[in-house]
Amino acid sequence: MTTDPVSVLEGMYAAEAAYTGDFTPLAPFFAPDVVLHQAEGLPYGGVWRGHAGIEAFFAAMSRTWDVFELVKQQFLATASPLVVLTDMHVRSRATGRELDFPILQTITVTAGRITEVRPFYWDTAAITAVCST
Protein backbone atom coordinates (compact mmCIF):
# COMPACT_ATOMS: atom_id res chain seq x y z
CA MET A 1 0.00 0.00 0.00
CA THR A 2 1.20 3.51 -0.80
CA THR A 3 2.27 5.99 1.86
CA ASP A 4 1.39 9.07 -0.23
CA PRO A 5 -1.27 10.89 1.87
CA VAL A 6 -3.52 11.75 -1.10
CA SER A 7 -3.38 8.19 -2.43
CA VAL A 8 -4.20 6.84 1.04
CA LEU A 9 -7.29 9.07 1.23
CA GLU A 10 -8.39 8.28 -2.31
CA GLY A 11 -8.12 4.56 -1.49
CA MET A 12 -10.04 4.99 1.75
CA TYR A 13 -12.79 7.03 0.05
CA ALA A 14 -13.16 4.32 -2.62
CA ALA A 15 -13.42 1.64 0.09
CA GLU A 16 -15.91 3.80 1.98
CA ALA A 17 -18.08 4.22 -1.14
CA ALA A 18 -18.18 0.42 -1.51
CA TYR A 19 -18.89 -0.17 2.21
CA THR A 20 -21.57 -2.81 2.78
CA GLY A 21 -21.13 -3.46 6.48
CA ASP A 22 -17.77 -5.22 6.29
CA PHE A 23 -14.95 -3.13 7.77
CA THR A 24 -12.19 -5.40 6.39
CA PRO A 25 -11.54 -3.41 3.16
CA LEU A 26 -11.32 -0.16 5.17
CA ALA A 27 -9.07 -1.39 7.98
CA PRO A 28 -5.72 -1.12 6.13
CA PHE A 29 -6.22 2.62 5.65
CA PHE A 30 -6.43 3.33 9.39
CA ALA A 31 -3.67 3.16 12.01
CA PRO A 32 -4.49 0.85 14.93
CA ASP A 33 -4.59 3.90 17.24
CA VAL A 34 -6.61 6.17 14.90
CA VAL A 35 -8.83 8.82 16.49
CA LEU A 36 -11.94 10.25 14.83
CA HIS A 37 -13.58 13.32 16.39
CA GLN A 38 -17.26 13.78 15.44
CA ALA A 39 -19.40 16.71 16.59
CA GLU A 40 -21.33 15.72 19.72
CA GLY A 41 -24.66 16.95 18.34
CA LEU A 42 -24.71 14.40 15.50
CA PRO A 43 -26.46 11.02 15.70
CA TYR A 44 -22.98 9.46 15.49
CA GLY A 45 -21.19 12.11 17.55
CA GLY A 46 -18.29 11.53 19.89
CA VAL A 47 -14.72 10.34 19.76
CA TRP A 48 -14.10 7.03 18.04
CA ARG A 49 -10.77 5.30 18.77
CA GLY A 50 -8.84 2.46 17.18
CA HIS A 51 -10.04 -0.02 14.59
CA ALA A 52 -12.92 -1.15 16.82
CA GLY A 53 -14.05 2.45 17.19
CA ILE A 54 -13.83 3.20 13.47
CA GLU A 55 -15.67 -0.03 12.67
CA ALA A 56 -18.42 0.99 15.13
CA PHE A 57 -18.51 4.47 13.57
CA PHE A 58 -19.05 3.07 10.06
CA ALA A 59 -21.82 0.84 11.42
CA ALA A 60 -23.45 3.88 13.08
CA MET A 61 -23.21 5.86 9.84
CA SER A 62 -24.77 2.98 7.94
CA ARG A 63 -27.66 2.86 10.44
CA THR A 64 -28.13 6.64 10.06
CA TRP A 65 -27.84 7.10 6.28
CA ASP A 66 -29.55 5.19 3.48
CA VAL A 67 -27.60 7.34 0.99
CA PHE A 68 -24.19 8.85 1.80
CA GLU A 69 -22.59 10.31 -1.33
CA LEU A 70 -19.42 12.33 -1.66
CA VAL A 71 -20.60 14.53 -4.54
CA LYS A 72 -17.53 16.70 -5.04
CA GLN A 73 -14.18 16.84 -3.26
CA GLN A 74 -11.39 19.38 -3.21
CA PHE A 75 -8.05 18.66 -1.59
CA LEU A 76 -7.15 22.08 -0.18
CA ALA A 77 -3.91 20.85 1.40
CA THR A 78 -2.17 17.68 0.23
CA ALA A 79 0.51 17.30 2.90
CA SER A 80 -0.41 15.82 6.24
CA PRO A 81 -2.60 16.99 7.80
CA LEU A 82 -4.63 17.08 4.61
CA VAL A 83 -7.57 19.43 4.32
CA VAL A 84 -10.49 18.15 2.27
CA LEU A 85 -13.66 20.03 1.39
CA THR A 86 -16.48 17.69 0.40
CA ASP A 87 -19.99 18.38 -0.82
CA MET A 88 -22.25 15.67 0.59
CA HIS A 89 -25.65 14.31 -0.37
CA VAL A 90 -27.38 12.14 2.24
CA ARG A 91 -30.73 10.50 2.88
CA SER A 92 -31.82 9.50 6.38
CA ARG A 93 -32.87 5.89 6.94
CA ALA A 94 -35.27 6.97 9.70
CA THR A 95 -37.11 9.72 7.83
CA GLY A 96 -36.29 9.38 4.14
CA ARG A 97 -35.45 13.09 4.07
CA GLU A 98 -32.45 14.25 2.04
CA LEU A 99 -29.86 16.94 2.63
CA ASP A 100 -26.92 18.46 0.78
CA PHE A 101 -24.18 20.02 2.87
CA PRO A 102 -20.44 20.78 2.86
CA ILE A 103 -17.98 19.25 5.29
CA LEU A 104 -14.37 20.28 5.85
CA GLN A 105 -11.99 17.69 7.28
CA THR A 106 -8.44 17.70 8.50
CA ILE A 107 -6.95 14.25 8.14
CA THR A 108 -3.55 13.23 9.43
CA VAL A 109 -1.77 10.45 7.56
CA THR A 110 1.36 8.97 9.11
CA ALA A 111 3.40 6.18 7.48
CA GLY A 112 0.62 5.48 4.98
CA ARG A 113 -2.23 5.23 7.49
CA ILE A 114 -4.86 7.63 8.74
CA THR A 115 -4.12 8.52 12.36
CA GLU A 116 -6.59 11.34 13.05
CA VAL A 117 -9.73 12.75 11.45
CA ARG A 118 -11.42 16.01 12.47
CA PRO A 119 -14.55 16.86 10.46
CA PHE A 120 -16.08 20.33 10.67
CA TYR A 121 -19.75 20.75 9.77
CA TRP A 122 -21.44 23.98 8.77
CA ASP A 123 -24.78 23.08 10.37
CA THR A 124 -25.02 20.07 12.69
CA ALA A 125 -28.58 21.05 13.63
CA ALA A 126 -29.73 20.62 10.02
CA ILE A 127 -28.09 17.20 9.84
CA THR A 128 -29.71 16.10 13.10
CA ALA A 129 -33.10 17.47 12.02
CA VAL A 130 -33.04 15.40 8.82
CA CYS A 131 -32.60 12.27 10.95
CA SER A 132 -35.24 13.10 13.56
CA THR A 133 -38.64 11.51 13.31
Side-chain angles (χ1 to χ4, degrees), residues 13 38 42 44 61 68 70 72-74 76 83-88 101-106 117-122 127:
Y13 287 134
Q38 285 288 345
L42 296 174
Y44 38 84
M61 289 286 286
F68 188 80
L70 287 69
K72 178 183 168 190
Q73 285 190 302
Q74 282 183 277
L76 303 178
V83 178
V84 183
L85 177 60
T86 305
D87 292 330
M88 302 296 306
F101 62 90
I103 183 173
L104 185 74
Q105 298 181 82
T106 62
V117 182
R118 289 185 178 268
F120 299 91
Y121 297 85
W122 269 248
I127 295 167

Side-chain angles (χ1 to χ4, degrees), residues 2-3 22 32 41 50 52 61 66-67 77 98 104-105 109 118 124 129:
T2 181
T3 60
D22 180 12
M61 289 286 286
D66 181 41
V67 171
E98 298 186 29
L104 185 74
Q105 298 181 82
V109 176
R118 289 185 178 268
T124 57

Side-chain angles (χ1 to χ4, degrees), residues 31-105:
D33 60 347
V34 61
V35 179
L36 166 61
H37 306 268
Q38 285 288 345
E40 290 292 337
L42 296 174
Y44 38 84
V47 178
W48 305 83
R49 296 180 187 279
H51 278 193
I54 298 299
E55 183 173 11
F57 165 75
F58 275 102
M61 289 286 286
S62 184
R63 286 189 304 273
T64 302
W65 302 118
D66 181 41
V67 171
F68 188 80
E69 297 175 350
L70 287 69
V71 176
K72 178 183 168 190
Q73 285 190 302
Q74 282 183 277
F75 286 76
L76 303 178
T78 56
S80 191
L82 292 92
V83 178
V84 183
L85 177 60
T86 305
D87 292 330
M88 302 296 306
H89 175 76
V90 297
R91 182 174 59 227
S92 168
R93 281 193 192 280
T95 68
R97 291 193 295 261
E98 298 186 29
L99 181 67
D100 296 303
F101 62 90
I103 183 173
L104 185 74
Q105 298 181 82

